[in-house]
Amino acid sequence: MISKGLQMISPEENIQKISPVSGGDSNQAFYVQTNEREYFVKLNQQMKIGYFKFEERGLKMIQATNTINVPDVLGCLEAEGVPMLWLEWIEGKRIHDTDVLLGERLAAMHLAEEKGYGFDGESYIGKLPQQNRLMDDWVEYYRDVRLAGQWKRGKANGRIGQAREKRLVKLMERLDEWIPRKPKSCLLHGDLWGGNWMTGPGGTPYLIDPAVLFGDHEMDLAFTELFGGFSRKFYEAYQSVFPLSPEYEERKELYQLYYLLVHLNLFGESYGPSVDRILRRYMG
């Protein structure tokens, strides 16, 4: 399949080496070396091509901001019915300023002004399809699209029972007590945990695996704090460019709630206690 994929994007090249790459939980990944260059190739036999088309679109949208590096997309295609994404191979060693550059450049991306909240088109969070649309009210989008989507999924798969549902619905009804309706809209990475950035040549930070949307920059920052992987230098550098509001700490966990619901739906009840802790914090 990889050989056929290469023929579709660069028929004059010949494969010299293919090695599996570990690290992701959704896709098969490979290092591919040809007579001309190195590639990072992802494929997934369970997903449709739109899954990788969304990632391709996100990488190109981030790249178009001219603020922070992402891998070049070299091909998004199907070979023998299997969707695959071909990216440039990124490799490098972290230097003293890598975390500082990551913070400054992410903040620069967030400072670029956008219009509306949400996303227009097919999208995913992890391997879960994420219904989307563009709206002009951030609270309504976050409540009715993001939180409600995971609530309905969790109710259908049995991971959100009556007590959890009652608190979640009550919280959604009162969401505007903590979250602004009209924050500055910017392009968000959308899935910014510590495994979704890497170091490239010269110690330059690269964002990978985006799940883009337009929204409040605090949503990206909140997720960086959920599972770790970001240094104090990163946060200091970010705030030197784009300071967080005094209310950030009060609403941070409300943004983390969405990602915990996603993990609850993807991976099971081990994330349930964290969801319940946030619901109890705000709803008692």
Side-chain angles (χ1 to χ4, degrees):
M1 288 183 292
I2 290 176
S3 296
K4 289 188 176 181
L6 181 64
Q7 286 295 308
M8 294 170 71
I9 63 172
S10 187
E12 71 280 1
E13 293 183 50
N14 298 307
I15 292 177
Q16 297 180 336
K17 182 179 179 181
I18 300 177
S19 303
V21 177
S22 60
D25 56 38
S26 298
N27 308 299
Q28 292 178 279
F30 299 90
Y31 165 81
V32 177
Q33 183 181 25
T34 74
N35 57 312
E36 292 190 14
R37 63 181 304 159
E38 298 169 296
Y39 296 90
F40 179 68
V41 182
K42 297 197 287 188
L43 56 88
N44 194 314
Q45 298 184 56
Q46 279 73 49
M47 304 300 288
K48 296 179 180 179
I49 188 66
Y51 172 72
F52 285 133
K53 286 289 186 183
F54 173 59
E55 182 175 344
E56 175 188 32
R57 186 177 174 191
L59 288 168
K60 289 182 176 180
M61 288 170 70
I62 293 172
Q63 194 170 53
T65 68
N66 295 310
T67 55
I68 190 164
N69 289 70
V70 296
D72 286 337
V73 178
L74 303 170
C76 184
L77 53 96
E78 282 184 294
E80 297 184 346
V82 177
M84 58 179 67
L85 184 66
W86 290 67
L87 305 171
E88 69 168 320
W89 179 260
I90 301 296
E91 190 172 7
K93 293 183 178 180
R94 190 179 297 200
I95 60 173
H96 181 266
D97 289 336
T98 296
D99 288 25
V100 172
L101 292 171
L102 178 64
E104 291 174 345
R105 292 177 182 182
L106 179 68
M109 184 179 91
H110 286 164
L111 279 172
E113 194 80 33
E114 299 288 349
K115 293 181 179 180
Y117 307 105
F119 190 76
D120 180 21
E122 184 177 8
S123 66
Y124 294 80
I125 179 70
K127 61 184 180 183
L128 292 181
Q130 168 66 63
Q131 285 191 340
N132 252 319
R133 58 185 182 272
L134 278 173
M135 302 174 66
D136 60 7
D137 186 300
W138 174 240
V139 171
E140 290 182 7
Y141 171 76
Y142 187 62
R143 179 190 66 212
D144 299 342
V145 178
R146 292 280 165 159
L147 293 180
Q150 297 306 315
W151 160 41
K152 292 172 184 175
R153 186 181 294 273
K155 187 175 181 179
N157 63 27
R159 289 173 175 162
I160 295 181
Q162 284 187 337
R164 190 174 286 166
E165 180 183 33
K166 184 176 180 180
R167 283 195 176 97
L168 179 56
V169 171
K170 186 178 177 183
L171 174 65
M172 289 165 61
E173 291 171 348
R174 295 176 53 189
L175 204 59
D176 62 354
E177 294 179 24
W178 300 279
I179 291 181
R181 289 190 175 274
K182 301 284 186 179
K184 189 188 84 65
S185 175
C186 63
L187 179 64
L188 306 181
H189 177 282
D191 195 7
L192 194 56
W193 66 288
N196 278 352
W197 76 276
M198 62 186 300
T199 305
T204 300
Y206 280 68
L207 296 183
I208 59 173
D209 296 344
V212 294
L213 70 152
F214 300 116
D216 184 355
H217 72 123
E218 293 181 359
M219 187 175 179
D220 262 354
L221 267 291
F223 193 32
T224 67
E225 294 194 56
L226 187 56
F227 300 132
F230 295 82
S231 69
R232 186 177 69 178
K233 288 197 297 185
F234 161 79
Y235 292 106
E236 289 173 349
Y238 184 96
Q239 294 222 60
S240 73
V241 176
F242 193 170
L244 291 166
S245 71
E247 295 81 23
Y248 169 70
E249 289 296 328
E250 180 62 25
R251 58 178 164 250
K252 174 174 68 179
E253 289 189 312
L254 293 172
Y255 288 140
Q256 292 174 343
L257 177 61
Y258 166 73
Y259 292 105
L260 288 168
L261 288 169
V262 169
H263 280 72
L264 175 67
N265 283 324
L266 277 172
F267 305 115
E269 184 54 32
S270 60
Y271 291 94
S274 296
V275 169
D276 294 336
R277 178 186 55 79
I278 293 174
L279 294 177
R280 284 195 297 268
R281 175 189 169 184
Y282 290 93
M283 292 295 102

